[in-house]
Amino acid sequence: MMKLSKLAAAAAFVMAGSAAIAGEVEVLHWWTSGGEAKSVGELKKIMQGKGHTWKDFAVAGGGGDAAMTVLKSRVVAGNPPAAAQIKGPGIQEWANEGVLANLDAVAKAEKWDSLLPGVVADVMKYKGNYVAAPVNVHRVNWMWANANVLKKAGVASAPKTWDEFFAAADKVKKAGLIAVAHGGQNWQDFTTFESVVLGVGGAKFYQDALVKLDQKALTSPTMTKSLETFRKIKSYTDPAAPGRDWNLATAMVIQEKAAFQFMGDWAKGEFTAAGKVPGKDYICAAAPGTGNAYTFNVDSFAMFKLKDAAAQKAQGDLAAAIMGPEFQEVFNLNKGSIPVRLGMKMDKFDDCAKLSSKDFVDTAKSGGLVPSIAHGMAVSPAAEGAIKDAVSQFWNDDKISVADGVKNIAKAATTK
């Protein structure tokens, strides 16, 4: 992240919120598509119900890259919004600049510590203080399958191990269909890779290798086996995969052209939009070997320091509303994710969401709940980018040996 100069950081301190109208809350986000925009509208309604003025600061496109550029210039100018959509280690980077507000008073009043799994709460804190409010949980380690394709190929149920998966993939291939729908973006390769590492090595190994970036784990025989498995999956994709968007890969599964896809639960939105029913038309299952684990991607809003008392009050109410049961339900029903707040009623949610919620709660207790490296939750953006590149180079170039693939990923993990 661009370092703020000490002078600019000091200016941000003094000037933040000086232009804020009493009770105004300005929110920077990039939720501009149908379901997301609808959800933001609900949050606006809740805030207006409390007498506050909502100021929408939506920056579309680029998964938030454009929004971050705008945010940096606003903070340097000493005029930050009340809240901005920031997640994972990015929260710590902003907090380190001294520009984020302390939300402990709201968190204590709303009992956040008992409503959030510790591993998620820690991502929202800086030096033990809450500085961000979480919105949702996306599970990343999903495997999606078309029920009809499996039936045609003579596959009785969703494979639970990698050996079972390759046996099923062979049957699909024999039936003249594509076994694995995959696209050409590096984050898709990385999404598949982290599920393979989790399935081959388990949650502790995943933590050591892809969260702690431990060199011993990164160069171990378990990582070698992970890369062998990863390469084998590629042999079941079709030649047209390079350059394909993720949703087009999902469409292949929906249209009975392919059997499986490894993708987070945003893929479910595509099935829903196509009128498909979980358990009947398609199967949602944890990726092979990962049934007792859960890679999470949590969207959140970091709150910036404001000077105006009315704006601070509005900001506190916003944080409380984000974590409130009303917004948690409506937002996640629209987004395809699940509430991050524990103990929520799930009766309005579909079977995939119910399974996700159950596994989220169970893995939070068992130690199987781990942050997704592919989706910006686990390591610094610099290390994440370098590892992602090394993983994609290995995926796209069959001439790179497994041994060299292991070396390249381990070296990438040292990027600061």
Side-chain angles (χ1 to χ4, degrees):
M1 193 186 86
M2 175 188 76
K3 280 278 172 192
L4 305 180
S5 71
K6 280 180 184 170
L7 191 67
F13 252 59
V14 178
M15 293 167 66
S18 57
I21 304 158
E24 179 184 275
V25 59
E26 186 181 17
V27 183
L28 169 64
H29 63 89
W30 52 92
W31 284 328
T32 51
S33 73
E36 293 170 344
K38 204 168 143 194
S39 302
V40 171
E42 289 298 328
L43 196 54
K44 180 179 177 177
K45 231 186 281 172
I46 293 168
M47 292 302 288
Q48 286 171 337
K50 290 176 184 277
H52 299 303
T53 308
W54 175 278
K55 192 175 175 190
D56 209 42
F57 181 7
V59 181
D65 293 344
M68 286 302 103
T69 307
V70 177
L71 179 62
K72 280 165 192 169
S73 61
R74 283 281 303 268
V75 174
V76 170
N79 182 29
Q85 195 181 338
I86 300 169
K87 66 176 192 177
I91 296 169
Q92 322 301 318
E93 291 194 354
W94 280 102
N96 203 29
E97 299 289 354
V99 293
L100 295 189
N102 185 325
L103 301 177
D104 282 353
V106 177
K108 205 173 173 192
E110 299 287 322
K111 304 185 169 60
W112 286 7
D113 274 343
S114 62
L115 291 171
L116 292 171
V119 63
V120 174
D122 287 346
V123 179
M124 303 300 134
K125 291 177 179 178
Y126 177 71
K127 295 186 174 172
N129 306 119
Y130 279 100
V131 290
V135 180
N136 63 346
V137 184
H138 280 293
R139 186 181 201 171
V140 179
N141 63 312
W142 280 118
M143 175 178 69
W144 307 91
N146 185 296
N148 273 345
V149 171
L150 296 193
K151 208 173 164 186
K152 274 181 204 164
V155 177
S157 60
K160 289 187 164 61
T161 66
W162 286 113
D163 286 344
E164 282 178 18
F165 175 79
F166 292 123
D170 283 334
K171 286 182 179 176
V172 172
K173 220 171 171 181
K174 222 174 181 178
L177 294 155
I178 297 158
V180 179
H182 191 78
Q185 293 132 325
N186 60 5
W187 67 266
Q188 292 187 58
D189 306 336
F190 209 17
T191 297
T192 303
F193 175 74
E194 75 174 19
S195 284
V196 172
V197 172
L198 186 62
V200 170
K204 190 190 177 304
F205 177 75
Y206 177 97
Q207 278 273 20
D208 290 343
L210 299 183
V211 181
K212 294 175 184 167
L213 304 181
D214 175 64
Q215 283 294 314
K216 201 174 154 199
L218 286 163
T219 54
S220 68
T222 307
M223 188 51 85
T224 298
K225 186 154 190 251
S226 298
L227 279 182
E228 286 166 355
T229 306
F230 184 55
R231 174 152 282 166
K232 195 171 177 184
I233 291 168
K234 191 189 172 200
S235 68
Y236 291 97
T237 62
D238 67 302
R244 180 187 289 140
D245 279 337
W246 70 270
N247 54 320
L248 297 180
T250 308
M252 290 164 66
V253 180
I254 293 169
Q255 292 158 9
E256 300 186 16
K257 290 174 184 169
F260 301 104
Q261 183 188 22
F262 299 102
M263 189 52 61
D265 53 18
W266 45 92
K268 189 178 68 178
E270 301 295 308
F271 286 96
T272 306
K276 303 298 179 187
V277 179
K280 182 174 161 265
D281 303 309
Y282 69 97
I283 296 158
C284 50
T290 72
N292 296 324
Y294 192 116
T295 39
F296 68 83
N297 175 17
V298 173
D299 286 309
S300 52
F301 282 102
M303 305 286 167
F304 284 80
K305 283 183 176 170
L306 304 173
K307 207 175 171 197
D308 182 85
Q312 285 173 359
K313 167 80 173 79
Q315 184 184 55
D317 285 347
L318 175 69
I322 286 168
M323 267 290 285
E326 184 189 348
F327 179 69
Q328 286 279 316
E329 181 178 89
V330 74
F331 179 86
N332 288 293
L333 282 168
N334 284 333
K335 187 93 159 55
S337 43
I338 63 162
V340 68
R341 182 187 171 107
L342 297 173
M344 286 279 295
K345 275 202 184 110
M346 295 295 289
D347 46 347
K348 287 184 189 169
F349 289 82
D350 65 36
D351 289 349
C352 296
K354 283 173 182 161
L355 175 61
S356 183
S357 183
K358 183 193 177 296
D359 288 353
F360 178 61
V361 172
D362 291 349
T363 56
K365 290 173 188 160
S366 70
L369 186 62
V370 290
S372 165
I373 182 171
H375 295 274
M377 298 303 301
V379 299
S380 74
E384 182 195 320
I387 299 167
K388 187 194 286 169
D389 288 346
V391 165
S392 276
Q393 278 160 6
F394 177 79
W395 176 267
N396 290 313
D397 186 354
D398 293 340
K399 292 189 189 79
I400 299 173
S401 69
V402 168
D404 282 343
V406 169
K407 270 185 209 148
N408 294 345
I409 290 166
K411 186 171 182 270
T414 63
T415 306
K416 289 281 182 278

